[in-house]
Amino acid sequence: MKYIYQDSTELPVQRDFIEDLKTFIDITSRVIPLENSIIEIKCKHKEALHELNSRINGMNIFEEKLNLLLTRLVNEVDIEDVVPCANAIHQTCSENLEKKREILEAEYRKIESGNVHDYKKFESKILEVLTRFLISEVYGAEKRFELSSSVNGISGEMEGSVSGMQYYYRLGVTEESLTVQKLLGNFSLPGWTRAGILRKEEKIKMQDLSDFIVSFLEYDSQKNVRLTLENKKTNRKYRIEGGEFRYFVYEENKELTADKELGTFIDMESLKKIPERVQDYLRTNIHAYTLSKVLLDEEDAVSTNQIFDCLKVIAEQYGVIVQECLAKGHNKEEITIKMEEADGTRTEKYISRTEIYTQLAEIGSEGVEIAGILGVDSRAQIKDRKYLIV
């Protein structure tokens, strides 16, 4: 399936943009109210805490001023007989104020602890709603996958980043352990060994690493890879790094690819196939993605209530394609794409600017702002037409 504009030029992202756009609008309509609920709870709790704090401070100030006043009156009268009376007033006042302070401070702590509980459920819901969307529908995002294999199984993480926004997924992998055989198939690297019947000599021998464990794997959108291969029994470790058809192989800290003798025995063609095989493995064996956190400019976007700003970052990417659809389409009030089958059959898919704007406007001012960024508000202008390709 090929996705093209109405003028038959290809979309910069080969996806069903209309469906992605509808999904983005739906996600926005679900996430914004959740974030607003958190903000509302925080505001109410902040007001309540401010009021309690003011009452406690007021009592403290009153007690302090009362003590000063009693001391001044006793000094002015300068009669021993009034001292017990002043002390009694001070003690009675202190006891009553202390009891009241304890009640207010307990209420303060209760609100503080309850505050976290009240909005944490909304934060969890936001991550839940965003989980299925961020994994594949953020255009222009650079992605990095990382897997670690140990006796406890395989743990993994995926990081996506675009325009100061980062999001992290915990990965569920079907395999319990990751061997070189499972990832790369039959794989060998050269090494020195002592061989000979009558006289032992140092010779180069290809060592089969198929049974080695892949203890660490890193792969990114640019098809750069980093692998650590280990054999616990023989205490041997290899490291493979590279991309763009240039790769480096290390045994411990010694670079084999730079060795004049060993380097010539390394099969560079097999190294060039590693990114493709890693990609196939990830596609086949990752069965679960769980969104763990979203950052904006290195701050937790959920706890700091910046998810709306994250949606604006995503909207900028979508807005560029919306503008191109309008510029290259026949109807300037509709965002239209064509889908071309392998046999050349074409079908059209569209959504009107009015429909998008109406749905977003129902969310409130945030939705109207998103509509402006997308370019479906006639008053909005998209400044940058630069594409970020997935």
mmCIF file of all heavy atoms in Angstrom, residues 15-42:
data_model
loop_
_atom_site.group_PDB
_atom_site.id
_atom_site.type_symbol
_atom_site.label_atom_id
_atom_site.label_comp_id
_atom_site.label_asym_id
_atom_site.label_seq_id
_atom_site.Cartn_x
_atom_site.Cartn_y
_atom_site.Cartn_z
ATOM 1 N N ARG A 15 1.767 6.085 6.008
ATOM 2 C CA ARG A 15 0.737 5.606 6.925
ATOM 3 C C ARG A 15 -0.593 6.201 6.487
ATOM 4 O O ARG A 15 -0.645 7.163 5.715
ATOM 5 C CB ARG A 15 1.036 6.044 8.364
ATOM 6 C CG ARG A 15 2.283 5.426 8.981
ATOM 7 C CD ARG A 15 2.509 5.980 10.382
ATOM 8 N NE ARG A 15 1.345 5.765 11.234
ATOM 9 C CZ ARG A 15 1.153 4.689 11.991
ATOM 10 N NH1 ARG A 15 2.051 3.708 11.982
ATOM 11 N NH2 ARG A 15 0.079 4.571 12.747
ATOM 12 N N ASP A 16 -1.671 5.630 7.026
ATOM 13 C CA ASP A 16 -3.000 6.191 6.772
ATOM 14 C C ASP A 16 -3.136 7.449 7.623
ATOM 15 O O ASP A 16 -3.573 7.420 8.773
ATOM 16 C CB ASP A 16 -4.078 5.162 7.153
ATOM 17 C CG ASP A 16 -5.474 5.613 6.750
ATOM 18 O OD1 ASP A 16 -5.689 6.837 6.628
ATOM 19 O OD2 ASP A 16 -6.354 4.754 6.589
ATOM 20 N N PHE A 17 -2.744 8.588 7.036
ATOM 21 C CA PHE A 17 -2.687 9.834 7.790
ATOM 22 C C PHE A 17 -4.057 10.255 8.314
ATOM 23 O O PHE A 17 -4.160 10.806 9.418
ATOM 24 C CB PHE A 17 -2.098 10.948 6.911
ATOM 25 C CG PHE A 17 -2.105 12.297 7.576
ATOM 26 C CD1 PHE A 17 -1.322 12.527 8.695
ATOM 27 C CD2 PHE A 17 -2.915 13.319 7.100
ATOM 28 C CE1 PHE A 17 -1.331 13.763 9.323
ATOM 29 C CE2 PHE A 17 -2.929 14.564 7.709
ATOM 30 C CZ PHE A 17 -2.128 14.791 8.824
ATOM 31 N N ILE A 18 -5.110 10.015 7.560
ATOM 32 C CA ILE A 18 -6.451 10.411 8.003
ATOM 33 C C ILE A 18 -6.839 9.663 9.275
ATOM 34 O O ILE A 18 -7.364 10.257 10.230
ATOM 35 C CB ILE A 18 -7.497 10.156 6.895
ATOM 36 C CG1 ILE A 18 -7.135 10.942 5.628
ATOM 37 C CG2 ILE A 18 -8.889 10.549 7.376
ATOM 38 C CD1 ILE A 18 -7.044 12.436 5.806
ATOM 39 N N GLU A 19 -6.549 8.370 9.324
ATOM 40 C CA GLU A 19 -6.863 7.587 10.526
ATOM 41 C C GLU A 19 -6.010 8.041 11.701
ATOM 42 O O GLU A 19 -6.500 8.132 12.833
ATOM 43 C CB GLU A 19 -6.659 6.091 10.258
ATOM 44 C CG GLU A 19 -7.777 5.438 9.475
ATOM 45 C CD GLU A 19 -9.148 5.644 10.120
ATOM 46 O OE1 GLU A 19 -9.283 5.385 11.338
ATOM 47 O OE2 GLU A 19 -10.067 6.077 9.412
ATOM 48 N N ASP A 20 -4.728 8.306 11.437
ATOM 49 C CA ASP A 20 -3.848 8.787 12.499
ATOM 50 C C ASP A 20 -4.335 10.129 13.034
ATOM 51 O O ASP A 20 -4.297 10.385 14.244
ATOM 52 C CB ASP A 20 -2.415 8.933 11.981
ATOM 53 C CG ASP A 20 -1.723 7.582 11.827
ATOM 54 O OD1 ASP A 20 -2.293 6.566 12.268
ATOM 55 O OD2 ASP A 20 -0.612 7.552 11.263
ATOM 56 N N LEU A 21 -4.794 10.987 12.129
ATOM 57 C CA LEU A 21 -5.302 12.295 12.523
ATOM 58 C C LEU A 21 -6.552 12.155 13.388
ATOM 59 O O LEU A 21 -6.706 12.826 14.411
ATOM 60 C CB LEU A 21 -5.597 13.130 11.273
ATOM 61 C CG LEU A 21 -6.043 14.588 11.473
ATOM 62 C CD1 LEU A 21 -5.019 15.362 12.290
ATOM 63 C CD2 LEU A 21 -6.263 15.260 10.124
ATOM 64 N N LYS A 22 -7.438 11.257 12.990
ATOM 65 C CA LYS A 22 -8.648 11.016 13.790
ATOM 66 C C LYS A 22 -8.289 10.471 15.173
ATOM 67 O O LYS A 22 -8.889 10.859 16.177
ATOM 68 C CB LYS A 22 -9.560 10.023 13.056
ATOM 69 C CG LYS A 22 -10.249 10.585 11.819
ATOM 70 C CD LYS A 22 -11.104 9.512 11.147
ATOM 71 C CE LYS A 22 -11.822 10.053 9.921
ATOM 72 N NZ LYS A 22 -12.622 8.985 9.246
ATOM 73 N N THR A 23 -7.300 9.574 15.206
ATOM 74 C CA THR A 23 -6.858 9.016 16.484
ATOM 75 C C THR A 23 -6.270 10.108 17.364
ATOM 76 O O THR A 23 -6.532 10.163 18.577
ATOM 77 C CB THR A 23 -5.805 7.908 16.261
ATOM 78 O OG1 THR A 23 -6.372 6.885 15.439
ATOM 79 C CG2 THR A 23 -5.373 7.300 17.582
ATOM 80 N N PHE A 24 -5.480 10.990 16.765
ATOM 81 C CA PHE A 24 -4.880 12.090 17.520
ATOM 82 C C PHE A 24 -5.956 12.992 18.116
ATOM 83 O O PHE A 24 -5.853 13.416 19.273
ATOM 84 C CB PHE A 24 -3.952 12.900 16.616
ATOM 85 C CG PHE A 24 -3.389 14.128 17.272
ATOM 86 C CD1 PHE A 24 -2.546 14.016 18.373
ATOM 87 C CD2 PHE A 24 -3.713 15.393 16.805
ATOM 88 C CE1 PHE A 24 -2.036 15.147 19.001
ATOM 89 C CE2 PHE A 24 -3.211 16.530 17.421
ATOM 90 C CZ PHE A 24 -2.369 16.407 18.515
ATOM 91 N N ILE A 25 -6.984 13.291 17.349
ATOM 92 C CA ILE A 25 -8.083 14.117 17.848
ATOM 93 C C ILE A 25 -8.791 13.417 19.010
ATOM 94 O O ILE A 25 -9.110 14.042 20.041
ATOM 95 C CB ILE A 25 -9.092 14.427 16.717
ATOM 96 C CG1 ILE A 25 -8.422 15.280 15.638
ATOM 97 C CG2 ILE A 25 -10.321 15.140 17.262
ATOM 98 C CD1 ILE A 25 -9.218 15.376 14.349
ATOM 99 N N ASP A 26 -9.011 12.110 18.867
ATOM 100 C CA ASP A 26 -9.657 11.334 19.931
ATOM 101 C C ASP A 26 -8.796 11.320 21.196
ATOM 102 O O ASP A 26 -9.314 11.518 22.309
ATOM 103 C CB ASP A 26 -9.908 9.908 19.450
ATOM 104 C CG ASP A 26 -10.495 9.029 20.529
ATOM 105 O OD1 ASP A 26 -11.607 9.330 21.014
ATOM 106 O OD2 ASP A 26 -9.842 8.041 20.916
ATOM 107 N N ILE A 27 -7.496 11.098 21.021
ATOM 108 C CA ILE A 27 -6.582 11.087 22.167
ATOM 109 C C ILE A 27 -6.605 12.446 22.871
ATOM 110 O O ILE A 27 -6.648 12.532 24.107
ATOM 111 C CB ILE A 27 -5.148 10.747 21.701
ATOM 112 C CG1 ILE A 27 -5.052 9.293 21.247
ATOM 113 C CG2 ILE A 27 -4.135 11.032 22.801
ATOM 114 C CD1 ILE A 27 -5.301 8.280 22.340
ATOM 115 N N THR A 28 -6.561 13.511 22.088
ATOM 116 C CA THR A 28 -6.588 14.861 22.644
ATOM 117 C C THR A 28 -7.854 15.092 23.457
ATOM 118 O O THR A 28 -7.812 15.648 24.564
ATOM 119 C CB THR A 28 -6.482 15.904 21.520
ATOM 120 O OG1 THR A 28 -5.269 15.693 20.779
ATOM 121 C CG2 THR A 28 -6.479 17.322 22.073
ATOM 122 N N SER A 29 -8.995 14.652 22.920
ATOM 123 C CA SER A 29 -10.277 14.857 23.603
ATOM 124 C C SER A 29 -10.373 14.061 24.899
ATOM 125 O O SER A 29 -11.142 14.413 25.798
ATOM 126 C CB SER A 29 -11.437 14.469 22.675
ATOM 127 O OG SER A 29 -11.451 13.066 22.438
ATOM 128 N N ARG A 30 -9.582 12.997 25.022
ATOM 129 C CA ARG A 30 -9.607 12.178 26.236
ATOM 130 C C ARG A 30 -8.563 12.625 27.254
ATOM 131 O O ARG A 30 -8.802 12.562 28.466
ATOM 132 C CB ARG A 30 -9.391 10.709 25.862
ATOM 133 C CG ARG A 30 -10.528 10.126 25.030
ATOM 134 C CD ARG A 30 -10.125 8.800 24.388
ATOM 135 N NE ARG A 30 -9.847 7.779 25.390
ATOM 136 C CZ ARG A 30 -9.293 6.603 25.117
ATOM 137 N NH1 ARG A 30 -8.950 6.312 23.873
ATOM 138 N NH2 ARG A 30 -9.079 5.733 26.068
ATOM 139 N N VAL A 31 -7.415 13.070 26.772
ATOM 140 C CA VAL A 31 -6.321 13.397 27.680
ATOM 141 C C VAL A 31 -6.470 14.777 28.322
ATOM 142 O O VAL A 31 -6.202 14.947 29.519
ATOM 143 C CB VAL A 31 -4.969 13.302 26.933
ATOM 144 C CG1 VAL A 31 -3.848 13.940 27.739
ATOM 145 C CG2 VAL A 31 -4.633 11.847 26.643
ATOM 146 N N ILE A 32 -6.898 15.766 27.543
ATOM 147 C CA ILE A 32 -7.001 17.128 28.073
ATOM 148 C C ILE A 32 -7.912 17.207 29.302
ATOM 149 O O ILE A 32 -7.535 17.808 30.321
ATOM 150 C CB ILE A 32 -7.473 18.113 26.979
ATOM 151 C CG1 ILE A 32 -6.407 18.237 25.874
ATOM 152 C CG2 ILE A 32 -7.764 19.489 27.576
ATOM 153 C CD1 ILE A 32 -5.073 18.744 26.359
ATOM 154 N N PRO A 33 -9.125 16.619 29.282
ATOM 155 C CA PRO A 33 -9.965 16.654 30.494
ATOM 156 C C PRO A 33 -9.306 15.984 31.695
ATOM 157 O O PRO A 33 -9.487 16.436 32.833
ATOM 158 C CB PRO A 33 -11.228 15.897 30.065
ATOM 159 C CG PRO A 33 -11.284 16.057 28.588
ATOM 160 C CD PRO A 33 -9.851 16.011 28.148
ATOM 161 N N LEU A 34 -8.542 14.919 31.454
ATOM 162 C CA LEU A 34 -7.851 14.238 32.556
ATOM 163 C C LEU A 34 -6.797 15.164 33.172
ATOM 164 O O LEU A 34 -6.702 15.270 34.402
ATOM 165 C CB LEU A 34 -7.185 12.959 32.051
ATOM 166 C CG LEU A 34 -8.118 11.815 31.646
ATOM 167 C CD1 LEU A 34 -7.321 10.692 30.981
ATOM 168 C CD2 LEU A 34 -8.867 11.270 32.851
ATOM 169 N N GLU A 35 -6.023 15.822 32.317
ATOM 170 C CA GLU A 35 -5.000 16.733 32.839
ATOM 171 C C GLU A 35 -5.652 17.925 33.536
ATOM 172 O O GLU A 35 -5.168 18.369 34.590
ATOM 173 C CB GLU A 35 -4.083 17.215 31.719
ATOM 174 C CG GLU A 35 -2.974 18.127 32.216
ATOM 175 C CD GLU A 35 -1.841 18.276 31.230
ATOM 176 O OE1 GLU A 35 -1.994 19.032 30.258
ATOM 177 O OE2 GLU A 35 -0.791 17.628 31.447
ATOM 178 N N ASN A 36 -6.756 18.416 32.993
ATOM 179 C CA ASN A 36 -7.461 19.530 33.634
ATOM 180 C C ASN A 36 -8.018 19.125 34.995
ATOM 181 O O ASN A 36 -8.081 19.944 35.925
ATOM 182 C CB ASN A 36 -8.582 20.038 32.734
ATOM 183 C CG ASN A 36 -8.056 20.845 31.555
ATOM 184 O OD1 ASN A 36 -6.913 21.306 31.575
ATOM 185 N ND2 ASN A 36 -8.857 21.015 30.526
ATOM 186 N N SER A 37 -8.427 17.863 35.128
ATOM 187 C CA SER A 37 -8.919 17.368 36.414
ATOM 188 C C SER A 37 -7.804 17.387 37.454
ATOM 189 O O SER A 37 -8.028 17.753 38.614
ATOM 190 C CB SER A 37 -9.470 15.943 36.269
ATOM 191 O OG SER A 37 -10.606 15.920 35.436
ATOM 192 N N ILE A 38 -6.602 16.995 37.035
ATOM 193 C CA ILE A 38 -5.456 17.026 37.940
ATOM 194 C C ILE A 38 -5.157 18.457 38.373
ATOM 195 O O ILE A 38 -4.944 18.735 39.561
ATOM 196 C CB ILE A 38 -4.215 16.410 37.267
ATOM 197 C CG1 ILE A 38 -4.437 14.926 36.988
ATOM 198 C CG2 ILE A 38 -2.971 16.605 38.128
ATOM 199 C CD1 ILE A 38 -3.320 14.274 36.190
ATOM 200 N N ILE A 39 -5.158 19.372 37.403
ATOM 201 C CA ILE A 39 -4.875 20.783 37.698
ATOM 202 C C ILE A 39 -5.922 21.336 38.659
ATOM 203 O O ILE A 39 -5.591 22.066 39.610
ATOM 204 C CB ILE A 39 -4.834 21.603 36.399
ATOM 205 C CG1 ILE A 39 -3.651 21.155 35.532
ATOM 206 C CG2 ILE A 39 -4.732 23.090 36.698
ATOM 207 C CD1 ILE A 39 -3.627 21.751 34.146
ATOM 208 N N GLU A 40 -7.193 20.973 38.447
ATOM 209 C CA GLU A 40 -8.276 21.441 39.311
ATOM 210 C C GLU A 40 -8.101 20.922 40.742
ATOM 211 O O GLU A 40 -8.266 21.668 41.710
ATOM 212 C CB GLU A 40 -9.629 20.976 38.752
ATOM 213 C CG GLU A 40 -10.820 21.527 39.512
ATOM 214 C CD GLU A 40 -12.142 21.071 38.917
ATOM 215 O OE1 GLU A 40 -12.125 20.480 37.817
ATOM 216 O OE2 GLU A 40 -13.177 21.300 39.547
ATOM 217 N N ILE A 41 -7.753 19.625 40.862
ATOM 218 C CA ILE A 41 -7.533 19.034 42.190
ATOM 219 C C ILE A 41 -6.372 19.741 42.885
ATOM 220 O O ILE A 41 -6.455 20.092 44.076
ATOM 221 C CB ILE A 41 -7.235 17.526 42.071
ATOM 222 C CG1 ILE A 41 -8.489 16.766 41.635
ATOM 223 C CG2 ILE A 41 -6.726 16.964 43.398
ATOM 224 C CD1 ILE A 41 -8.233 15.314 41.288
ATOM 225 N N LYS A 42 -5.288 19.954 42.163
ATOM 226 C CA LYS A 42 -4.125 20.612 42.750
ATOM 227 C C LYS A 42 -4.456 22.033 43.204
ATOM 228 O O LYS A 42 -3.997 22.477 44.269
ATOM 229 C CB LYS A 42 -2.972 20.636 41.741
ATOM 230 C CG LYS A 42 -2.306 19.284 41.529
ATOM 231 C CD LYS A 42 -1.130 19.387 40.582
ATOM 232 C CE LYS A 42 -0.411 18.048 40.451
ATOM 233 N NZ LYS A 42 0.740 18.098 39.515
#
